[in-house]
Amino acid sequence: MALARTLFGKILLWSVSVQLVTVGTILALVTYYLPESQAAVDNAFSLYADTAVVLFERFGPEALDKFLAHSGDSTLLQLKLSATNAASDCGPRSKNSTSIVARGQSGSYCLTVRAKNGGLPESPESRRSRLQLTILLELFSCAGLSYVIARYLSRPISDLRQAATRLAKGDLTARVGAKFSGRHDEAADLVREFDKMADRVAALIEAQNRLTGDVSHEIKSPLARLNMALGLARRDAEEHAPKQFERMQREIDNISQLVRELLILASLDAGAVKALSEPVNLVEVITDILANIAYESPDRAADLIFAKPERAVIVLGDRALLSRAIENVLRNAVFYTAAGAAIEVTCQAAADGRVRVTLRDQGPGVPEQALARLFDPFYRVDDARTRQTGGTGIGLAICRRAVELHHGSVRARNLDPHGLEVVMDLPQATENVTPEHISTQLHNQEV
């Protein structure tokens, strides 16, 4: 059923159906006319036999010989009439001869018909068998040809779909055209246009990432100097305008945080990260993050609930990136959840070989239409996240990009009656990694 929904399947089924209808029509016509043609041959031989018997009984052997000789010359057949006691005495039909029984007034006779050159017409059974074999071979040939044609026509579309899927997932190297450089049809032209579009998109995204990184780097130095100058000014004149200095310091800190997150996001988009092969115990990562938050906000320590699994949950990747991804979501939950409301965290290995980290808060949630864009850079939800919150709007984007670099996914949904659930799905380590193995791996990387 799934095959019929693809372009390849539709072309293949359509072509094979046409061939089946054609072959079926030919078979029906041949089956209908073949018995009639064979019956005409049998009737002609029977007529020869009856005529020969009448001539033999009325006019004698000489008349019979003349008739048989004349009939044989005109039909390229050799005919011979002989007396027989029963129909079973006539010889069987062969490739070169056949026998027909005729009854006369004096008894039964056997007319033997033998071809002078070549063979007699085939029997209906032999002719039908050979016809069926020919039709069967023709059917297989048509099916094979239909497969080749369908594959030839649909392959560019299939490869184009795969490349488009890779490009949509962020693989800017996805191209198709090299496979069809020798083709010159509409499908190949579509593939080449897609490659041009992908080149343009990749160039624009790379330029944007480069610009973001360059601007962020350029801003870092003036910010550092501005921060230093502000510190000197506060030391000398803070007593004259303490609130203004405090506000200036807060804004500088916000800009510095924005620059740091922009640099991180630019490096993630550019793929400038080290090999994601370090064994990471997510239970330890989550425990450390919760400990840091509890230390910074002691009044919220009781709100953080972690259902710690009995065994370590290991993934292969970059510990710093995974820690930042989980921390960004957790701090977001703490910020939007009122004091005294629980924030639940779970980390467990699923039966499908994946690891799921789930974070549930009791905040206001987000509008349903905003869930799909919640992890986009600089996206804000007016009802729950406004400019007055002080957030940069990049933390969740960093989370998604970090998880995707680990071949995982992140999604969010609203809880009933209120709250937000964020689920990070990551591939579990394929081997049973022990703490000793982790220590060995880390030691080898340091060496």
Side-chain angles (χ1 to χ4, degrees):
M1 193 66 181
L3 180 64
R5 297 179 181 177
T6 63
L7 179 62
F8 167 76
K10 290 178 180 178
I11 297 176
L12 178 62
L13 293 177
W14 177 83
S15 181
V16 171
S17 299
V18 171
Q19 300 296 337
L20 284 175
V21 171
T22 304
V23 172
T25 303
I26 295 175
L27 179 61
L29 293 175
V30 171
T31 303
Y32 178 78
Y33 287 108
L34 183 61
E36 293 188 359
S37 61
Q38 184 62 37
V41 175
D42 294 340
N43 291 335
F45 285 160
S46 297
L47 181 60
Y48 271 112
D50 293 339
T51 303
V53 169
V54 171
L55 289 175
F56 176 74
E57 291 183 342
R58 291 189 178 184
F59 302 104
E62 294 182 359
L64 174 64
D65 292 340
K66 291 181 180 181
F67 171 73
L68 295 178
H70 177 73
S71 299
D73 290 339
S74 61
T75 59
L76 299 179
L77 299 175
Q78 182 180 0
L79 296 91
K80 181 180 179 182
L81 188 69
S82 58
T84 182
N85 294 328
S88 59
D89 292 341
C90 277
R93 181 185 179 97
S94 65
K95 181 179 180 181
N96 296 321
S97 65
T98 185
S99 300
I100 299 175
V101 177
R103 298 185 181 277
Q105 296 180 353
S106 303
S108 298
Y109 300 87
C110 180
L111 178 67
T112 302
V113 182
R114 185 182 303 276
K116 295 180 180 179
N117 297 312
L120 293 174
E122 293 179 305
S123 65
E125 294 77 11
S126 176
R127 197 180 309 179
R128 185 176 290 107
S129 298
R130 192 171 68 173
L131 181 62
Q132 291 174 348
L133 179 61
T134 302
I135 292 176
L136 185 62
L137 293 176
E138 178 69 16
L139 183 60
F140 278 113
S141 300
C142 292
L145 182 61
S146 299
Y147 176 86
V148 173
I149 294 175
R151 185 63 178 168
Y152 178 81
L153 294 177
S154 64
R155 186 181 176 187
I157 307 301
S158 177
D159 290 357
L160 183 62
R161 174 180 171 273
Q162 295 176 6
T165 301
R166 290 171 51 199
L167 186 64
K169 291 181 178 180
D171 184 3
L172 301 181
T173 64
R175 301 292 185 275
V176 193
K179 300 179 181 179
F180 307 99
S181 57
R183 287 183 56 168
H184 301 283
D185 52 25
E186 289 81 354
D189 292 340
L190 177 62
V191 166
R192 283 186 280 272
E193 292 300 325
F194 171 84
D195 286 347
K196 292 180 182 178
M197 179 198 70
D199 290 338
R200 180 61 176 165
V201 170
L204 290 174
I205 292 178
E206 290 174 359
Q208 178 184 357
N209 293 336
R210 186 166 54 251
L211 176 63
T212 302
D214 292 344
V215 170
S216 300
H217 277 292
E218 293 298 325
I219 294 177
K220 283 181 63 178
S221 296
L223 273 176
R225 292 192 293 269
L226 180 60
N227 199 25
M228 184 180 299
L230 180 61
L232 295 174
R234 293 183 67 177
R235 187 185 61 183
D236 296 335
E238 184 173 9
E239 65 275 6
H240 300 294
K243 292 183 179 180
Q244 288 78 359
F245 279 113
E246 184 66 28
R247 181 57 183 265
M248 292 169 62
Q249 184 65 58
R250 188 165 58 249
E251 294 299 337
I252 290 177
D253 292 341
N254 289 337
I255 297 175
S256 299
Q257 176 67 15
L258 174 61
V259 169
R260 285 194 297 269
E261 293 188 345
L262 280 174
L263 286 173
I264 294 172
L265 186 61
S267 65
L268 293 178
D269 288 336
V273 294
K274 63 182 181 180
L276 304 176
S277 58
E278 172 190 353
V280 180
N281 185 353
L282 290 181
V283 177
E284 293 182 356
V285 170
I286 296 174
T287 302
D288 292 342
I289 295 173
L290 292 175
N292 292 335
I293 296 177
Y295 178 79
E296 297 170 6
S297 305
D299 58 322
R300 303 301 303 272
D303 300 338
L304 304 175
I305 301 174
F306 180 29
K308 185 179 296 186
E310 297 179 358
R311 301 180 58 184
V313 179
I314 308 299
V315 299
L316 295 181
D318 183 273
R319 183 186 180 91
L321 282 180
L322 292 173
S323 178
R324 181 174 293 276
I326 298 174
E327 183 177 4
N328 286 351
V329 179
L330 261 175
R331 291 189 179 277
N332 198 67
V334 171
F335 187 86
Y336 291 105
T337 302
I343 300 172
E344 301 176 359
V345 184
T346 61
C347 177
Q348 58 186 357
D352 58 356
R354 309 285 290 182
V355 172
R356 289 181 179 87
V357 178
T358 306
L359 303 97
R360 299 183 183 92
D361 64 40
Q362 297 186 30
V366 298
E368 290 295 329
Q369 64 272 16
L371 289 174
R373 299 191 57 194
L374 192 60
F375 297 92
D376 291 348
F378 301 106
Y379 181 74
R380 296 173 181 270
V381 181
D382 293 337
D383 294 340
R385 293 162 173 82
T386 63
R387 291 288 178 182
Q388 284 73 29
T389 63
T392 62
I394 305 179
L396 294 182
I398 293 176
C399 170
R400 180 177 65 179
R401 191 68 185 114
V403 171
E404 289 177 348
L405 285 174
H406 288 80
H407 307 288
S409 61
V410 59
R411 59 188 182 276
R413 71 180 183 93
N414 286 315
L415 300 176
D416 187 25
H418 57 81
L420 187 70
E421 178 187 78
V422 177
V423 179
M424 302 181 196
D425 189 291
L426 296 164
Q428 189 176 13
T430 56
E431 58 179 314
N432 186 18
V433 184
T434 62
E436 293 78 10
H437 178 75
I438 295 177
S439 300
T440 303
Q441 288 281 343
L442 295 178
H443 176 72
N444 292 337
Q445 290 180 359
E446 292 175 358
V447 172

